[in-house]
Amino acid sequence: MNQEIIITCALTGAGDTASKSHLVPVTPQQIATAAVEAAKAGATVVHCHVRDPQTGRFSRDVSLYREVMERIREADVDIIVNLTAGMGGDLEIGPGEAPMEFGPGTDLIGPLERLAHVEQLLPEICTLDCGTLNFGDGNSIYVSTPSQLRAGAKRITELGVKAELEIFDTGHLWFAKQMIKEGLLDDPLFQLCLGIPWGAPADTATMKAMVDNLPAGATWAGFGIGRMQMPMAAQAVLLGGNVRVGLEDNLYLDRGVLASNGQLVERAVEIMSRLGARVLTPAEGRAKMNLTRR
């Protein structure tokens, strides 16, 4: 069991969740306010996407990321900022016998353009989604090829940003270790992402299989989506890891009760405390993850 826990709060994500809960932050001000709320509730790290303030849909606009970062840095709390670098890998295959007629959900760019905001803003951590995945029951695929991943990993390392490797299936973990072997990554973090159809399921056996195959001494966290958020948080701690909660992955505090990011962090802190663990401050989290505060 891990006795000293890093809690990451994933604030908003990129999915169609803003239409399902009024508590999902959309504008840069709302996202930054949610970050402060999460920090005050006990989070060590906030993981940030941005959305188009007018439509609520996902965005890659660097100016939106910049505003979020500036608002967080101007706030009266200390929090580690982790920016997604997963946007720009969405491919919606055309229907039926017209697969090349890509759908409106397609947003596909190269590996270095996916890092444009990271290059300009230099967060302490950014993510790297470590493989291609069927995403849901329709025709949507998240695309991240070995060549793209090698290019992205190399650039993240050059920028001096800590990579958090998002592992959605066992093959992703296999390739993540290959990139470390090739010297493309320097002491990365690992995030085990469970429950997304059709990646790795959110259950004990799957999480343990992944944990058993992590590099020795790796700093890792895990999460489940939806109602499995808190069970997988507890499971990750019992297996020696850290946890992620937040509205990117789950909208509810209890059955039928919509949550805020702060409430989800508070619930996670309570669970960790009842298990006998202590949640690390951002300063302590930086030491554990070998980060340099910017």
Side-chain angles (χ1 to χ4, degrees):
M1 177 177 163
N2 183 9
Q3 302 286 345
E4 296 187 327
I5 310 301
I6 295 165
I7 291 182
T8 295
C9 185
L11 301 172
T12 188
D16 182 24
T17 51
S19 65
K20 299 173 183 177
S21 171
H22 66 283
L23 296 172
V24 173
V26 172
T27 69
Q29 181 174 357
Q30 290 170 345
I31 294 168
T33 298
V36 173
E37 176 194 19
K40 290 182 176 178
T44 318
V45 181
V46 288
H47 172 62
C48 302
H49 290 246
V50 294
R51 294 176 180 264
D52 184 318
Q54 303 303 318
T55 67
R57 297 188 73 245
F58 66 82
S59 176
R60 294 185 284 102
D61 189 332
V62 175
S63 68
L64 297 176
Y65 281 106
R66 179 176 291 107
E67 183 177 347
V68 169
M69 290 282 286
E70 289 175 351
R71 288 181 179 274
I72 293 174
R73 286 170 171 167
E74 290 168 357
D76 61 347
V77 296
D78 183 22
I79 193 73
I80 298 167
V81 175
N82 172 341
L83 294 185
T84 182
M87 304 308 298
D90 298 312
L91 177 60
E92 185 180 345
I93 298 296
E97 299 305 309
M100 295 295 287
E101 296 178 7
F102 300 144
T106 298
D107 179 42
L108 200 58
I109 58 174
L112 299 185
E113 189 176 351
R114 296 183 199 186
L115 294 169
H117 60 301
V118 175
E119 186 147 357
Q120 291 191 37
L121 302 175
L122 296 177
E124 295 179 80
I125 304 171
C126 78
T127 62
L128 185 65
D129 295 358
C130 284
T132 298
L133 180 74
N134 286 333
F135 214 93
D137 247 355
N139 278 339
S140 294
I141 298 172
Y142 180 78
V143 177
S144 197
T145 68
S147 292
Q148 290 174 327
L149 284 167
R150 285 186 171 99
K154 181 175 182 292
R155 188 59 185 143
I156 292 168
T157 300
E158 290 171 347
L159 293 171
V161 175
K162 178 75 73 171
E164 181 185 84
L165 308 181
E166 309 297 283
I167 308 297
F168 291 89
D169 215 340
T170 51
H172 297 184
L173 179 55
W174 184 9
F175 189 72
K177 293 194 292 184
Q178 177 63 26
M179 289 191 290
I180 294 172
K181 183 178 179 180
E182 293 175 11
L184 295 169
L185 294 162
D186 181 20
D187 186 30
L189 311 169
F190 287 81
Q191 182 73 255
L192 307 182
C193 313
L194 307 181
I196 287 118
W198 295 102
D203 59 48
T204 296
T206 301
M207 183 179 281
K208 186 176 186 303
M210 287 183 164
V211 171
D212 289 344
N213 281 282
L214 288 168
T219 299
W220 67 276
F223 71 86
I225 65 169
R227 65 184 181 86
M228 294 305 291
Q229 183 168 84
M230 295 303 166
M232 288 295 99
Q235 185 63 84
V237 171
L238 292 171
L239 289 173
N242 302 288
V243 307
R244 171 172 134 171
V245 296
L247 293 179
E248 176 172 350
D249 308 319
N250 164 49
L251 299 178
Y252 292 93
L253 186 66
D254 295 303
R255 186 178 181 87
V257 180
L258 291 171
S260 70
N261 281 295
Q263 288 173 323
L264 292 173
V265 172
E266 288 172 354
R267 178 66 58 85
V269 169
E270 179 185 2
I271 292 170
M272 299 307 113
S273 176
R274 290 181 181 274
L275 289 173
R278 181 178 71 87
V279 180
L280 298 182
T281 66
E284 293 170 325
R286 287 186 183 92
K288 182 171 182 175
M289 294 184 283
N290 297 317
L291 301 177
T292 300
R293 185 175 183 180
R294 295 188 184 278

